[in-house]
mmCIF file of all heavy atoms in Angstrom:
data_model
loop_
_atom_site.group_PDB
_atom_site.id
_atom_site.type_symbol
_atom_site.label_atom_id
_atom_site.label_comp_id
_atom_site.label_asym_id
_atom_site.label_seq_id
_atom_site.Cartn_x
_atom_site.Cartn_y
_atom_site.Cartn_z
ATOM 1 N N PRO A 581 32.944 -17.431 3.091
ATOM 2 C CA PRO A 581 33.883 -17.005 4.149
ATOM 3 C C PRO A 581 34.296 -18.197 5.005
ATOM 4 O O PRO A 581 33.508 -19.116 5.264
ATOM 5 C CB PRO A 581 33.063 -15.990 4.957
ATOM 6 C CG PRO A 581 31.981 -15.543 4.034
ATOM 7 C CD PRO A 581 31.670 -16.702 3.168
ATOM 8 N N ARG A 582 35.530 -18.168 5.470
ATOM 9 C CA ARG A 582 36.034 -19.295 6.255
ATOM 10 C C ARG A 582 35.256 -19.484 7.554
ATOM 11 O O ARG A 582 35.025 -20.603 7.992
ATOM 12 C CB ARG A 582 37.512 -19.084 6.576
ATOM 13 C CG ARG A 582 38.416 -19.332 5.384
ATOM 14 C CD ARG A 582 39.871 -19.112 5.742
ATOM 15 N NE ARG A 582 40.702 -19.489 4.611
ATOM 16 C CZ ARG A 582 41.184 -20.703 4.398
ATOM 17 N NH1 ARG A 582 40.903 -21.652 5.270
ATOM 18 N NH2 ARG A 582 41.940 -20.981 3.356
ATOM 19 N N ASP A 583 34.831 -18.353 8.167
ATOM 20 C CA ASP A 583 34.144 -18.501 9.446
ATOM 21 C C ASP A 583 32.724 -19.038 9.290
ATOM 22 O O ASP A 583 32.052 -19.346 10.268
ATOM 23 C CB ASP A 583 34.113 -17.162 10.191
ATOM 24 C CG ASP A 583 33.460 -16.073 9.347
ATOM 25 O OD1 ASP A 583 33.050 -16.375 8.195
ATOM 26 O OD2 ASP A 583 33.360 -14.936 9.836
ATOM 27 N N ARG A 584 32.265 -19.154 8.053
ATOM 28 C CA ARG A 584 30.934 -19.699 7.820
ATOM 29 C C ARG A 584 31.003 -21.044 7.103
ATOM 30 O O ARG A 584 30.004 -21.524 6.586
ATOM 31 C CB ARG A 584 30.104 -18.719 6.990
ATOM 32 C CG ARG A 584 29.914 -17.360 7.668
ATOM 33 C CD ARG A 584 29.025 -16.454 6.840
ATOM 34 N NE ARG A 584 27.673 -17.015 6.690
ATOM 35 C CZ ARG A 584 26.726 -16.446 5.955
ATOM 36 N NH1 ARG A 584 26.987 -15.302 5.313
ATOM 37 N NH2 ARG A 584 25.547 -17.004 5.848
ATOM 38 N N PHE A 585 32.189 -21.642 7.096
ATOM 39 C CA PHE A 585 32.346 -22.868 6.324
ATOM 40 C C PHE A 585 31.957 -24.079 7.159
ATOM 41 O O PHE A 585 32.787 -24.881 7.588
ATOM 42 C CB PHE A 585 33.782 -23.003 5.806
ATOM 43 C CG PHE A 585 33.818 -23.572 4.436
ATOM 44 C CD1 PHE A 585 33.937 -22.737 3.342
ATOM 45 C CD2 PHE A 585 33.676 -24.926 4.223
ATOM 46 C CE1 PHE A 585 33.943 -23.249 2.061
ATOM 47 C CE2 PHE A 585 33.683 -25.443 2.957
ATOM 48 C CZ PHE A 585 33.809 -24.608 1.860
ATOM 49 N N THR A 586 30.673 -24.161 7.441
ATOM 50 C CA THR A 586 30.069 -25.350 8.019
ATOM 51 C C THR A 586 28.956 -25.756 7.071
ATOM 52 O O THR A 586 28.589 -25.004 6.152
ATOM 53 C CB THR A 586 29.491 -25.064 9.409
ATOM 54 O OG1 THR A 586 28.460 -24.074 9.284
ATOM 55 C CG2 THR A 586 30.574 -24.578 10.358
ATOM 56 N N TRP A 587 28.396 -26.959 7.260
ATOM 57 C CA TRP A 587 27.317 -27.384 6.375
ATOM 58 C C TRP A 587 26.142 -26.414 6.464
ATOM 59 O O TRP A 587 25.547 -26.045 5.446
ATOM 60 C CB TRP A 587 26.849 -28.792 6.728
ATOM 61 C CG TRP A 587 27.803 -29.863 6.287
ATOM 62 C CD1 TRP A 587 28.532 -30.685 7.083
ATOM 63 C CD2 TRP A 587 28.126 -30.196 4.942
ATOM 64 N NE1 TRP A 587 29.306 -31.524 6.324
ATOM 65 C CE2 TRP A 587 29.070 -31.252 4.986
ATOM 66 C CE3 TRP A 587 27.719 -29.721 3.700
ATOM 67 C CZ2 TRP A 587 29.601 -31.828 3.846
ATOM 68 C CZ3 TRP A 587 28.244 -30.296 2.550
ATOM 69 C CH2 TRP A 587 29.183 -31.333 2.632
ATOM 70 N N GLU A 588 25.836 -25.968 7.667
ATOM 71 C CA GLU A 588 24.728 -25.042 7.818
ATOM 72 C C GLU A 588 25.064 -23.686 7.215
ATOM 73 O O GLU A 588 24.246 -23.063 6.531
ATOM 74 C CB GLU A 588 24.358 -24.889 9.297
ATOM 75 C CG GLU A 588 23.134 -23.990 9.532
ATOM 76 C CD GLU A 588 22.698 -23.976 10.980
ATOM 77 O OE1 GLU A 588 23.362 -24.641 11.808
ATOM 78 O OE2 GLU A 588 21.691 -23.322 11.282
ATOM 79 N N GLY A 589 26.312 -23.230 7.461
ATOM 80 C CA GLY A 589 26.713 -21.960 6.877
ATOM 81 C C GLY A 589 26.734 -22.018 5.362
ATOM 82 O O GLY A 589 26.336 -21.068 4.676
ATOM 83 N N LEU A 590 27.219 -23.133 4.798
ATOM 84 C CA LEU A 590 27.242 -23.289 3.354
ATOM 85 C C LEU A 590 25.825 -23.289 2.783
ATOM 86 O O LEU A 590 25.554 -22.698 1.725
ATOM 87 C CB LEU A 590 27.966 -24.593 2.988
ATOM 88 C CG LEU A 590 28.151 -24.868 1.491
ATOM 89 C CD1 LEU A 590 28.942 -23.743 0.833
ATOM 90 C CD2 LEU A 590 28.867 -26.203 1.291
ATOM 91 N N TYR A 591 24.897 -23.940 3.497
ATOM 92 C CA TYR A 591 23.504 -23.953 3.049
ATOM 93 C C TYR A 591 22.949 -22.528 2.986
ATOM 94 O O TYR A 591 22.285 -22.139 2.014
ATOM 95 C CB TYR A 591 22.668 -24.812 3.997
ATOM 96 C CG TYR A 591 21.201 -24.845 3.653
ATOM 97 C CD1 TYR A 591 20.703 -25.785 2.758
ATOM 98 C CD2 TYR A 591 20.317 -23.928 4.220
ATOM 99 C CE1 TYR A 591 19.356 -25.818 2.445
ATOM 100 C CE2 TYR A 591 18.962 -23.945 3.911
ATOM 101 C CZ TYR A 591 18.482 -24.890 3.009
ATOM 102 O OH TYR A 591 17.151 -24.911 2.695
ATOM 103 N N ASN A 592 23.237 -21.736 4.001
ATOM 104 C CA ASN A 592 22.739 -20.360 4.026
ATOM 105 C C ASN A 592 23.358 -19.525 2.915
ATOM 106 O O ASN A 592 22.682 -18.690 2.295
ATOM 107 C CB ASN A 592 23.004 -19.736 5.391
ATOM 108 C CG ASN A 592 22.199 -20.408 6.499
ATOM 109 O OD1 ASN A 592 21.100 -20.920 6.257
ATOM 110 N ND2 ASN A 592 22.745 -20.412 7.718
ATOM 111 N N VAL A 593 24.658 -19.719 2.653
ATOM 112 C CA VAL A 593 25.316 -18.965 1.573
ATOM 113 C C VAL A 593 24.695 -19.324 0.224
ATOM 114 O O VAL A 593 24.433 -18.456 -0.617
ATOM 115 C CB VAL A 593 26.832 -19.251 1.575
ATOM 116 C CG1 VAL A 593 27.481 -18.669 0.320
ATOM 117 C CG2 VAL A 593 27.482 -18.661 2.820
ATOM 118 N N LEU A 594 24.435 -20.598 0.039
ATOM 119 C CA LEU A 594 23.859 -21.032 -1.228
ATOM 120 C C LEU A 594 22.436 -20.521 -1.376
ATOM 121 O O LEU A 594 22.015 -20.150 -2.480
ATOM 122 C CB LEU A 594 23.895 -22.552 -1.328
ATOM 123 C CG LEU A 594 25.295 -23.171 -1.455
ATOM 124 C CD1 LEU A 594 25.225 -24.689 -1.452
ATOM 125 C CD2 LEU A 594 25.986 -22.685 -2.730
ATOM 126 N N MET A 595 21.662 -20.521 -0.298
ATOM 127 C CA MET A 595 20.311 -19.964 -0.380
ATOM 128 C C MET A 595 20.355 -18.488 -0.777
ATOM 129 O O MET A 595 19.501 -18.006 -1.540
ATOM 130 C CB MET A 595 19.603 -20.125 0.965
ATOM 131 C CG MET A 595 19.047 -21.519 1.224
ATOM 132 S SD MET A 595 17.720 -21.968 0.074
ATOM 133 C CE MET A 595 16.466 -20.773 0.522
ATOM 134 N N TYR A 596 21.355 -17.767 -0.301
ATOM 135 C CA TYR A 596 21.504 -16.362 -0.662
ATOM 136 C C TYR A 596 21.865 -16.217 -2.142
ATOM 137 O O TYR A 596 21.295 -15.391 -2.862
ATOM 138 C CB TYR A 596 22.568 -15.714 0.217
ATOM 139 C CG TYR A 596 22.908 -14.295 -0.186
ATOM 140 C CD1 TYR A 596 22.022 -13.245 0.040
ATOM 141 C CD2 TYR A 596 24.122 -14.019 -0.807
ATOM 142 C CE1 TYR A 596 22.328 -11.953 -0.353
ATOM 143 C CE2 TYR A 596 24.445 -12.733 -1.196
ATOM 144 C CZ TYR A 596 23.551 -11.702 -0.967
ATOM 145 O OH TYR A 596 23.856 -10.432 -1.359
ATOM 146 N N ARG A 597 22.811 -17.064 -2.619
ATOM 147 C CA ARG A 597 23.230 -16.972 -4.022
ATOM 148 C C ARG A 597 22.109 -17.377 -4.973
ATOM 149 O O ARG A 597 22.052 -16.917 -6.121
ATOM 150 C CB ARG A 597 24.458 -17.854 -4.271
ATOM 151 C CG ARG A 597 25.755 -17.284 -3.751
ATOM 152 C CD ARG A 597 26.103 -15.964 -4.448
ATOM 153 N NE ARG A 597 26.203 -16.102 -5.896
ATOM 154 C CZ ARG A 597 27.322 -16.368 -6.541
ATOM 155 N NH1 ARG A 597 28.452 -16.518 -5.846
ATOM 156 N NH2 ARG A 597 27.340 -16.465 -7.846
ATOM 157 N N LEU A 598 21.220 -18.256 -4.524
ATOM 158 C CA LEU A 598 20.150 -18.728 -5.392
ATOM 159 C C LEU A 598 18.856 -17.964 -5.199
ATOM 160 O O LEU A 598 17.823 -18.313 -5.791
ATOM 161 C CB LEU A 598 19.880 -20.222 -5.131
ATOM 162 C CG LEU A 598 21.051 -21.195 -5.300
ATOM 163 C CD1 LEU A 598 20.636 -22.598 -4.906
ATOM 164 C CD2 LEU A 598 21.569 -21.176 -6.724
ATOM 165 N N SER A 599 18.889 -16.914 -4.380
ATOM 166 C CA SER A 599 17.647 -16.246 -3.973
ATOM 167 C C SER A 599 16.888 -15.618 -5.138
ATOM 168 O O SER A 599 15.687 -15.376 -5.034
ATOM 169 C CB SER A 599 17.958 -15.171 -2.926
ATOM 170 O OG SER A 599 18.870 -14.207 -3.456
ATOM 171 N N ARG A 600 17.560 -15.360 -6.264
ATOM 172 C CA ARG A 600 16.865 -14.753 -7.403
ATOM 173 C C ARG A 600 15.856 -15.712 -8.020
ATOM 174 O O ARG A 600 14.824 -15.280 -8.531
ATOM 175 C CB ARG A 600 17.890 -14.298 -8.456
ATOM 176 C CG ARG A 600 17.270 -13.586 -9.648
ATOM 177 C CD ARG A 600 18.332 -12.955 -10.529
ATOM 178 N NE ARG A 600 19.302 -13.917 -10.991
ATOM 179 C CZ ARG A 600 19.157 -14.687 -12.081
ATOM 180 N NH1 ARG A 600 18.048 -14.580 -12.792
ATOM 181 N NH2 ARG A 600 20.089 -15.531 -12.451
ATOM 182 N N TYR A 601 16.142 -16.987 -8.001
ATOM 183 C CA TYR A 601 15.235 -17.941 -8.639
ATOM 184 C C TYR A 601 14.850 -19.109 -7.738
ATOM 185 O O TYR A 601 14.240 -20.072 -8.190
ATOM 186 C CB TYR A 601 15.846 -18.477 -9.944
ATOM 187 C CG TYR A 601 17.300 -18.886 -9.851
ATOM 188 C CD1 TYR A 601 17.657 -20.183 -9.497
ATOM 189 C CD2 TYR A 601 18.309 -17.971 -10.134
ATOM 190 C CE1 TYR A 601 18.977 -20.553 -9.435
ATOM 191 C CE2 TYR A 601 19.637 -18.338 -10.067
ATOM 192 C CZ TYR A 601 19.976 -19.625 -9.724
ATOM 193 O OH TYR A 601 21.293 -19.998 -9.662
ATOM 194 N N VAL A 602 15.219 -19.059 -6.438
ATOM 195 C CA VAL A 602 14.778 -20.052 -5.465
ATOM 196 C C VAL A 602 14.038 -19.316 -4.350
ATOM 197 O O VAL A 602 14.612 -18.457 -3.669
ATOM 198 C CB VAL A 602 15.958 -20.861 -4.899
ATOM 199 C CG1 VAL A 602 15.491 -21.776 -3.770
ATOM 200 C CG2 VAL A 602 16.628 -21.668 -5.999
#
Side-chain angles (χ1 to χ4, degrees):
R582 285 180 174 271
D583 57 0
R584 300 183 62 183
F585 218 98
T586 62
W587 285 113
E588 184 174 2
L590 183 59
Y591 178 88
N592 294 330
V593 170
L594 292 176
M595 281 295 295
Y596 173 72
R597 284 297 302 268
L598 303 176
S599 59
R600 183 170 57 86
Y601 45 90
V602 173

